[in-house]
Amino acid sequence: MKFSLGRRVAVAVTLSLALLANAACGAVTPASTASAENGGFKLADYIKEDVKQGTPLKIKLSYHDPSLAFAVPIREGMERGAKEFGVDAQMIGPSGGNPADQVAELQTLINQKQIDGLAVSSASNDALKPVIAQAYDAGIPIISFNTNNPESKQMGFVGQDLVSSGKSLAKELLGVLKGKTGKVVVVSVDSGAGWSNDRFSGFQEGLKDSGLQVVGPINTGNEPSAAYNTIESTMAAQSDAIALVSLDCCSFTAGAKWLQQSGKAGKIHAVGFDVQPQTVEYLKSGVVDLTISQGPAEQGYQAVKLLADFLKNGTEIKDVDTGALVVTPDNVASVPVEG
């Protein structure tokens, strides 16, 4: 059965994020009462036994690339949740972000019955749909975090509304530009990824009728020097651009580095996402205008909490929107660093 989820839950997060309680639909039937007869989710027998025996429940957070700096605060939030709720939580995933490797790892865990609960974050909206269905049909509580899989059998989602965050970025850029028009170059570490497409679609919608000419999104890749070189060559070809916009943390820091080293800081506006240590320094020095945080530590924490509460207490799984916080040079000192 495919679940239609949507009732967003406002959560008080450590970053005092502005939460978006703006989408709605039904919650998931608790595992303790669902049955195969009515087409609902049925908890696997081995997981029922783990719960009954009171053994530490094994919860895995499969992140599409744990080597990314953004994974660090997610892991920290996960560990905080594991300690608070008394579960054995671990981050897994392929270094380098290969979807096939992520699927293979998850299939092994599912087939070997090594997990009691699973949260997944995929680089592509479609890559994990089959394995999400496999986990669900095997009786393993399965949610998505960080990146959404709305057309899958996921039982919930923890993370930022990516389309809305793209709209928010567009709104902030318009405020920075103060009516100025011209070319806006957009970059992404993976322009073909579902999360990137969602943010970009929201960004485009937010700039509708603005008179700005959007160039991109340009794919930079995740390797820092390659990303820098791509941005350097792109900006040379778009020498009249008035703004550089990033859809993620890592192309943002690469773009900021180029702005600083090329002497374009202050001449070309720059906005992007996440609060990496380098981003903080670029904000403080005025190289970039602002960034938007999505609360990665809260994503890790809430993913563990949803699964632990569902397994231990039969608590309904509901979507959790971790919101969008605009971080500027004025408030950056009060915002936790994400990495």
Side-chain angles (χ1 to χ4, degrees), residues 129-145:
K129 282 183 184 178
V131 78
I132 288 173
Q134 183 180 348
Y136 178 90
D137 294 341
I140 300 169
I142 173 79
I143 65 172
S144 291
F145 73 101

Side-chain angles (χ1 to χ4, degrees), residues 26-43:
V28 174
T29 305
S32 58
T33 59
S35 68
E37 287 74 17
N38 65 17
F41 176 80
K42 183 177 181 182
L43 195 67

Side-chain angles (χ1 to χ4, degrees), residues 40 54 65-66 86 93 110 146-147 156-157 179 257 262 288 294 313 317:
D65 189 352
I110 294 168
N146 186 245
T147 58
F157 171 63
K257 182 179 179 180
S262 66
V288 300
Q294 57 181 310
N313 307 314
I317 291 178

Side-chain angles (χ1 to χ4, degrees), residues 118-141:
L118 181 60
V120 297
S121 172
S122 61
S124 165
N125 282 10
D126 295 322
L128 294 190
K129 282 183 184 178
V131 78
I132 288 173
Q134 183 180 348
Y136 178 90
D137 294 341
I140 300 169

Side-chain angles (χ1 to χ4, degrees), residues 37-224:
E37 287 74 17
N38 65 17
F41 176 80
K42 183 177 181 182
L43 195 67
D45 289 340
Y46 80 90
I47 299 178
K48 289 181 182 178
E49 188 64 22
D50 287 344
V51 174
K52 180 180 179 181
Q53 295 298 324
T55 56
L57 298 174
K58 298 178 290 296
I59 293 175
K60 305 291 187 184
L61 270 63
S62 175
Y63 190 59
H64 52 267
D65 189 352
S67 67
L68 293 176
F70 194 77
V72 174
I74 293 177
R75 186 180 288 107
E76 292 172 351
M78 175 197 72
E79 291 171 350
R80 176 165 60 93
K83 183 177 181 180
E84 181 174 337
F85 301 107
V87 298
D88 177 10
Q90 179 186 8
M91 178 178 283
I92 59 175
S95 179
N98 187 321
D101 291 341
Q102 187 179 19
V103 168
E105 181 178 47
L106 289 171
Q107 287 178 329
T108 297
L109 289 173
I110 294 168
N111 292 333
Q112 294 182 356
K113 300 181 179 180
Q114 295 181 14
I115 44 179
D116 298 305
L118 181 60
V120 297
S121 172
S122 61
S124 165
N125 282 10
D126 295 322
L128 294 190
K129 282 183 184 178
V131 78
I132 288 173
Q134 183 180 348
Y136 178 90
D137 294 341
I140 300 169
I142 173 79
I143 65 172
S144 291
F145 73 101
N146 186 245
T147 58
N148 203 356
N149 286 276
E151 301 303 319
S152 72
K153 280 189 172 182
Q154 67 183 27
M155 299 166 70
F157 171 63
V158 175
Q160 186 181 74
D161 184 317
L162 296 173
V163 174
S164 292
S165 71
K167 292 179 184 177
S168 296
L169 192 66
K171 177 183 177 181
E172 296 301 326
L173 176 64
L174 291 174
V176 166
L177 293 177
K178 299 178 180 179
K180 187 177 180 180
T181 58
K183 288 183 181 178
V184 174
V185 175
V186 181
V187 295
S188 169
V189 293
D190 189 353
S191 59
W195 60 263
S196 184
N197 291 331
D198 288 345
R199 273 189 178 155
F200 184 61
S201 67
F203 181 74
Q204 284 185 303
E205 186 174 344
L207 291 187
K208 187 178 179 181
D209 300 324
S210 67
L212 293 170
Q213 179 184 347
V214 176
V215 178
I218 307 298
N219 189 74
T220 68
N222 187 49
E223 200 282 316

